[in-house]
Amino acid sequence: VRELRPRLPVLILSVHAADEFARRAIAAGASGYLTKDAADVELVSAVSKLARGGKYFGADVLERLARLNPCHIRKMNSE
C-alpha cells in the first residue's frame, strides 16, 4: 500500500496481539494498530485520528511494546 499511496494512512486491525506483528506493522509504516477485540468507539477514534493526519495505537499494543522499548513508545505517543 505504501508503494502505491505513500501518504495514505494505514490502520492495521489484527487478530494478532503478539508484539512481533505490531512491531512489523509499525516498521512497515502503519499509522495505527488495533486488535480486533477493540471496542467500536476505539475503532472510530482511530479512524478519525488517522484521517486528521495522526497516529493511533491501541492501549494494549502500546503497553506490550513499552515493555520492549520505552523510548520508542514515548516517540509514538508524541506524534
Side-chain angles (χ1 to χ4, degrees):
V1 173
R2 286 280 177 211
E3 288 181 22
L4 298 174
R5 304 279 308 269
R7 294 182 50 179
L8 180 70
V10 175
L11 175 64
I12 304 297
L13 184 59
S14 177
V15 68
H16 300 287
D19 304 335
E20 184 60 29
F21 291 102
R23 285 188 301 181
R24 287 172 45 198
I26 293 165
S31 300
Y33 190 100
L34 288 174
T35 56
K36 287 190 175 182
D37 60 350
D40 295 347
V41 67
E42 187 173 23
L43 178 58
V44 171
S45 293
V47 170
S48 295
K49 189 162 186 180
L50 269 63
R52 293 189 311 270
K55 296 186 181 289
Y56 192 98
F57 299 89
D60 57 333
V61 173
L62 290 175
E63 185 176 323
R64 283 191 312 278
L65 292 176
R67 285 186 229 128
L68 301 174
N69 189 344
C71 294
H72 184 68
I73 298 307
R74 282 193 292 273
K75 181 182 175 207
M76 287 171 51
N77 279 333
S78 67
E79 294 179 346

